[in-house]
Amino acid sequence: MLESNPQARIVLTTESTLDEANKLGRTLVEERLVACATLLPVVQSIYYWKDHIHSAPETMVMLKTSAEKLEALEARMRELHSYRVPEFLVIPVEMGTKLYLDWLAGSLAQPR
């Protein structure tokens, strides 16, 4: 059964290598800032940096979290990320299955 959840968010970022993406994702899950980090190797990014167009392979990282974790997540990513200007794009989740959304919320809760 589908339901809406105004708190669920997907945060997109990229890392330069699969190893960097693994380290970032694992740390954020361990710290319960995200419930899940999905790694999509290899994507090709084309972007401006310092007045030049660049193209580079990267690993896309999809982070599943909640609105209440966004501020802490963004601050922690600035500390951990290998890029000086890390991508941090937030997408609201319009709907999802109740089972998944309940799991997401429970995974973000601090252990007692």
Side-chain angles (χ1 to χ4, degrees):
M1 172 176 282
L2 293 177
E3 67 175 39
S4 65
N5 182 330
Q7 291 299 307
R9 299 290 186 271
I10 295 173
V11 175
L12 299 179
T13 194
T14 54
E15 273 286 10
S16 59
T17 67
L18 182 57
D19 186 51
E20 289 291 328
N22 266 307
K23 285 190 261 183
L24 177 68
R26 180 167 292 281
T27 299
L28 296 174
V29 169
E30 287 172 352
E31 294 178 4
R32 294 190 183 257
L33 292 171
V34 303
C36 176
T38 301
L39 312 181
L40 302 169
V42 170
V43 298
Q44 189 72 21
S45 294
I46 302 167
Y47 55 94
Y48 269 105
W49 183 250
K50 297 188 177 187
D51 297 325
H52 293 89
I53 296 176
H54 298 265
S55 180
E58 297 181 297
T59 297
M60 172 68 69
V61 184
M62 293 181 5
L63 304 167
K64 287 75 162 208
T65 192
S66 68
E68 66 186 18
K69 299 278 186 174
L70 289 175
E71 189 174 320
L73 174 58
E74 192 271 336
R76 189 67 171 124
M77 277 186 53
R78 273 188 278 119
E79 294 172 356
L80 297 172
H81 209 284
S82 66
Y83 292 167
R84 286 189 15 217
V85 182
E87 178 179 354
F88 190 89
L89 299 175
V90 179
I91 302 169
V93 174
E94 188 173 323
M95 297 190 88
T97 63
K98 179 175 178 11
L99 284 173
Y100 186 85
L101 295 173
D102 287 348
W103 168 82
L104 186 134
S107 295
L108 294 171
Q110 294 300 321
R112 296 176 195 248

